[in-house]
Amino acid sequence: MKYLLLIISFITLSLQQVSAQEKGDEKVSDAYAYGYITSLNDSVVYLTEIAPLPTVTIKKNGFLVSRASYTAQLKAFATALGISHPTCAIIYDRKKKNLEKTFVKMTNKLQKKNRYFIKAISAQEFTFKELEEYTGE
């Protein structure tokens, strides 16, 4: 039940990131993201540093195109760390300042519960690769 609450709160935070965008076609712009890794078998939550996602496409409704590919990169990294059955997600925003607020809010929520250990993943350990150079390994 406690994991269900964590997942629900995580989804709520992710949905808050999707803000209303201007009307028009898909846009190619810079964005920022951080990764979230957890396993229902473990009390450790892994958070990557906020990193730029250069030249990404964000639809007019606010969704990041190919976000599943970025999540797959994170899942491959988690599997290489030996995390069994990882659940991975990326949280993104066009503005780094907004993303930093979300990052702090999520970290505080996780720390407040005192059930989770937060492990930071540095930029030297993991960075999101551009989709053209990502091969799925």
Side-chain angles (χ1 to χ4, degrees), residues 55-97:
T55 59
V56 296
T57 303
I58 298 179
K59 289 187 176 185
K60 64 182 177 182
N61 61 5
F63 285 106
L64 177 68
V65 174
S66 300
R67 62 190 174 280
S69 298
Y70 291 111
T71 305
Q73 291 178 34
L74 197 58
K75 188 169 185 172
F77 174 77
T79 304
L81 282 179
I83 301 170
S84 63
H85 309 293
T87 301
C88 304
I90 65 164
I91 296 84
Y92 63 93
D93 200 308
R94 288 183 175 185
K95 297 180 182 174
K96 188 174 183 178
K97 193 168 199 154

Side-chain angles (χ1 to χ4, degrees), residues 27-39:
K27 296 184 175 185
V28 177
S29 65
D30 289 340
Y32 298 90
Y34 68 89
Y36 172 92
I37 305 169
T38 189
S39 173

Side-chain angles (χ1 to χ4, degrees), residues 50-137:
I50 294 174
L53 297 174
T55 59
V56 296
T57 303
I58 298 179
K59 289 187 176 185
K60 64 182 177 182
N61 61 5
F63 285 106
L64 177 68
V65 174
S66 300
R67 62 190 174 280
S69 298
Y70 291 111
T71 305
Q73 291 178 34
L74 197 58
K75 188 169 185 172
F77 174 77
T79 304
L81 282 179
I83 301 170
S84 63
H85 309 293
T87 301
C88 304
I90 65 164
I91 296 84
Y92 63 93
D93 200 308
R94 288 183 175 185
K95 297 180 182 174
K96 188 174 183 178
K97 193 168 199 154
N98 293 346
L99 193 61
E100 288 170 345
K101 288 179 185 178
T102 304
F103 184 84
V104 169
K105 189 175 182 180
M106 178 180 275
T107 304
N108 289 341
K109 267 191 171 183
L110 291 169
Q111 287 175 340
K112 194 185 288 186
K113 293 184 180 189
N114 261 349
R115 293 188 299 241
Y116 306 104
F117 299 102
I118 299 172
K119 183 172 185 322
I121 298 172
S122 69
Q124 290 80 21
E125 293 176 277
F126 175 80
T127 55
F128 292 105
K129 298 176 183 157
E130 288 192 52
L131 297 181
E132 294 83 38
E133 63 182 76
Y134 177 66
T135 60
E137 296 177 1

